[in-house]
Amino acid sequence: MKKISGFNIALHSKSKRIIEIKIKNELIEKLIFPFNKFDITALEYKPFTRFTIAKSLDDLSKNKLSEFLLSVLKDRSTGCIFICPEKLTPKLDQNFFVKFSTAISHLVGKPNHDSMSDKYYARFHIRHDDTSDSYLRKAYINMDLHTDGTYVNESTDWLLMTKIKDVNAKGGETVLLHLDDWEHLEELSKDLIGRENFIWSSPKSKNIDYKVEHPIFKKDEDGNTTISYIDQFPEPKNIKQGLFLQKLSDSLESSKKKIITALPVGSLVLANNHFWLHGRKPFAQNKDLFRELLRIRGHFC
Ligand SMILES: [Fe+2]
């Protein structure tokens, strides 16, 4: 496994496809100073500052971190990275996590504009009560396996999810599935319906006022199958498309190859969005449940 001073790098205990990076405290201490040069408003208003803090992080690894993250993200056999601090300290507050997520995202490319928040990132909460129009904030319903960016007209090569806060949160584990581990990849990706155009739209809260058309399965430049799919947003044109989506959904949800893992506060998941699906298990009922997450979706430069 790659060695970079200041980072502990290993395979995740539940999957050889996931690389786990723990950041040593001494490195975090060195990050605090360059991170303090910019507040969150500066990062939001001045896009170049995001690259400045990314470079501060990369410099501490002698520029090895960006190279390593990109090589894992683009490697079909892995493509997923968990990053977390070795130890949570009071200095690692919400602002630190926003800055750290910003830095990581700008080492692997450039974030797409997130229309839900009208920023390059989105922070959102999951609580006991919810009146929103998508599964994102529904605490007690399984969020089925999906990829991100299915309903926008720009490429979503990767996504980053950071857990900022968890209070009274039991359940709600992260679920991941690598496309090549899925039992029915061959069968369903070769089905002609999976390769024809579907119409994809989104509910109001996503602030996208157009629809897009694309197939669920495609081949990338290396001939590997990729997937772009979420259960809530396709508009099946006929019974054939409807039944195909049902079969796909049932097959993904019943996969025995899903990786289910509880992520500690302060940890971040960075995954290739073309061949990793993600979802979330339901939470246990609790009136005082509170989880805060941050997400960034982007493309390779
Ligand atoms: Fe998602």
Side-chain angles (χ1 to χ4, degrees):
M1 188 52 68
K2 178 96 174 169
K3 287 206 183 335
I4 305 176
S5 171
F7 302 86
N8 274 329
I9 306 176
L11 290 177
H12 190 265
S13 59
K14 289 189 177 172
S15 172
K16 286 181 184 153
R17 296 194 184 277
I18 301 173
I19 308 294
E20 194 169 48
I21 303 181
K22 290 200 171 132
I23 316 159
K24 294 184 185 167
N25 271 34
E26 68 241 33
L27 191 127
I28 288 178
E29 285 296 325
K30 289 181 195 159
L31 261 185
I32 305 270
F33 179 72
F35 274 16
N36 280 345
K37 258 170 71 182
F38 304 107
D39 58 19
I40 302 297
T41 310
L43 293 178
E44 289 181 359
Y45 289 3
K46 296 190 274 188
F48 65 82
T49 62
R50 304 168 201 164
F51 289 100
T52 306
I53 61 166
K55 185 72 172 91
S56 307
L57 171 60
D58 212 29
D59 281 346
L60 292 175
S61 72
K62 300 196 169 67
N63 301 311
K64 286 182 187 163
L65 183 64
S66 55
E67 199 185 303
F68 180 63
L69 294 177
L70 274 169
S71 71
V72 176
L73 261 190
K74 291 183 176 181
D75 180 357
R76 178 75 182 204
S77 66
T78 52
C80 184
I81 307 155
F82 289 1
I83 308 176
C84 70
E86 208 171 37
K87 208 171 102 195
L88 268 188
T89 65
K91 282 182 190 170
L92 305 186
D93 58 6
Q94 300 179 20
N95 285 346
F96 177 86
F97 294 136
V98 174
K99 291 175 186 179
F100 188 72
S101 306
T102 301
I104 293 288
S105 64
H106 285 76
L107 289 182
V108 297
K110 195 172 169 291
N112 296 338
H113 181 72
D114 195 314
S115 298
M116 191 175 85
S117 60
D118 204 21
K119 293 175 184 169
Y120 70 93
Y121 68 97
R123 281 171 77 165
F124 55 92
H125 305 144
I126 301 153
R127 289 193 174 94
H128 174 73
D129 292 314
D130 174 70
T131 54
S132 69
D133 56 7
S134 82
Y135 285 106
L136 190 64
R137 297 181 184 80
K138 304 262 178 261
Y140 306 124
I141 303 176
N142 193 66
M143 186 195 257
D144 287 359
L145 286 167
H146 64 279
T147 60
D148 273 14
T150 54
Y151 54 89
V152 295
N153 54 20
E154 63 212 322
S155 180
T156 306
D157 295 330
W158 47 260
L159 86 146
L160 176 156
M161 298 172 285
T162 305
K163 188 182 281 182
I164 292 184
K165 204 167 181 178
D166 233 1
V167 183
N168 297 309
K170 248 191 162 184
E173 297 92 346
T174 299
V175 184
L176 293 160
L177 178 67
H178 189 293
L179 200 55
D180 293 342
D181 292 338
W182 175 39
E183 298 86 340
H184 297 110
L185 172 66
E186 185 78 3
E187 178 199 340
L188 288 177
S189 69
K190 282 193 173 154
D191 192 312
L192 290 178
I193 302 172
R195 296 191 173 270
E196 69 183 31
N197 271 345
F198 280 69
I199 297 169
W200 305 80
S201 58
S202 52
K204 261 206 164 104
S205 64
K206 307 289 181 193
N207 298 325
I208 298 284
D209 59 3
Y210 58 85
K211 297 182 184 191
V212 295
E213 272 194 72
H214 63 77
I216 294 167
F217 296 105
K218 281 187 193 168
K219 291 268 187 203
D220 67 13
E221 53 204 17
D222 300 318
N224 291 315
T225 302
T226 61
I227 186 166
S228 179
Y229 163 75
I230 186 164
D231 52 341
Q232 197 184 346
F233 307 149
E235 294 179 2
K237 283 183 248 186
N238 50 44
I239 191 161
K240 274 200 295 190
Q241 286 199 345
L243 293 178
F244 182 82
L245 288 164
Q246 184 66 62
K247 192 172 170 186
L248 174 62
S249 169
D250 293 344
S251 166
L252 287 170
E253 290 311 305
S254 63
S255 173
K256 301 271 182 286
K257 300 297 175 96
K258 288 188 282 193
I259 301 154
I260 300 169
T261 184
L263 292 166
V265 168
S267 57
L268 163 170
V269 177
L270 182 61
N272 189 306
N273 190 52
H274 299 300
F275 54 84
W276 274 97
L277 295 123
H278 62 278
R280 187 185 64 228
K281 301 268 282 177
F283 288 86
Q285 288 265 350
N286 190 320
K287 280 206 317 272
D288 301 314
L289 164 69
F290 182 84
R291 174 175 287 178
E292 179 169 18
L293 295 164
L294 176 151
R295 76 167 181 217
I296 304 179
R297 297 126 157 202
H299 55 275
F300 295 126
C301 289

